[in-house]
């Protein structure tokens, strides 16, 4: 009887320890980045390419639904805008424009390219192009690019490398002479 109780107690402890470690927030161990203090209002621009309009519409919808979650996993705050007129400039609010610039599928390989612009009011802070290629479903491309956008924003807001400390050179005490009066 005591053996069964001991076994049940140990089993319960192991189960609880596994559950508590599995329920930890993925954001708990994120290192602070100045980008985390910003709120990014994200507008995904429509591509004018009519040949892939249906596929680009699906990709755009998927990107809009998953980008805030990818940002949250990286400790960033993102809000999707359906119209540019929804953007409310503020001190720590930046506009992030994402434009799908190309989508190509050749055989099993699929490539998606984006152009990203970060703005503060009417000032363009930074802009870049990125792309991803895979033989997996196109959702993999969107997930990869979403993570790259967050990484690039964190790099943009990262403080520059600190300069090495400057230690003042003190004269050698043996050669210096002081006069006391």
């Amino acid at each position: 009887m005591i053996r069964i109780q001991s076994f049940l107690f140990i089993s319960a402890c192991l189960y609880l320890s596994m559950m508590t470690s599995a329920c930890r927030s993925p954001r708990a161990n994120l290192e602070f980045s100045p980008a985390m203090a910003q709120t990014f209002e994200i507008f995904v621009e429509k591509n004018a390419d009519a040949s892939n309009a249906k596929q680009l519409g699906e990709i755009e919808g998927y990107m809009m639904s998953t980008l805030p979650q990818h940002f949250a996993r990286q400790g960033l705050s993102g809000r999707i805008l359906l119209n540019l007129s929804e953007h409310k400039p503020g001190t720590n609010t930046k506009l992030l424009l994402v434009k799908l610039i190309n989508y190509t599928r050749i055989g099993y390989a699929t490539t998606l390219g984006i152009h990203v612009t970060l703005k503060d009011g009417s000032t363009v802070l930074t802009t870049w192009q990125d792309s991803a290629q895979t033989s997996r479903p196109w959702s993999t491309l969107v997930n990869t690019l979403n993570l790259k956008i967050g990484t690039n924003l964190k790099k943009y807001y990262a403080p520059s490398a600190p300069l090495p400390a400057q230690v003042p050179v003190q004269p050698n005490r043996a050669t210096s002479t002081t006069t006391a009066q």
Side-chain angles (χ1 to χ4, degrees), residues 93-115:
T93 303
K94 306 296 185 262
L95 178 62
L96 187 68
L97 301 170
V98 180
K99 184 172 185 175
L100 306 175
I101 54 174
N102 66 11
Y103 173 78
T104 55
R105 185 175 182 112
I106 301 171
Y108 291 107
T110 307
T111 304
L112 178 63
I114 60 172
H115 183 269

Side-chain angles (χ1 to χ4, degrees), residues 22-82:
C23 294
R24 264 189 11 178
S25 169
R27 295 173 57 175
N29 292 329
L30 289 178
E31 186 175 316
F32 178 76
S33 164
M36 293 175 179
Q38 304 296 318
T39 299
F40 299 100
E41 293 187 337
I42 307 157
F43 182 71
V44 180
E45 296 182 56
K46 307 254 186 263
N47 188 317
D49 184 10
S51 65
N52 289 331
K54 182 180 178 193
Q55 187 67 44
L56 287 171
E58 290 177 17
I59 292 170
E60 175 188 327
Y62 183 73
M63 181 175 267
M64 288 171 53
S65 69
T66 58
L67 195 54
Q69 288 125 4
H70 283 108
F71 270 35
R73 286 185 196 129
Q74 294 183 18
L76 303 174
S77 175
R79 182 174 80 92
I80 296 293
L81 305 177
L82 299 177

Side-chain angles (χ1 to χ4, degrees), residues 118-126:
L118 178 64
K119 296 176 87 175
D120 185 8
S122 61
T123 306
V124 174
L125 300 175
T126 186

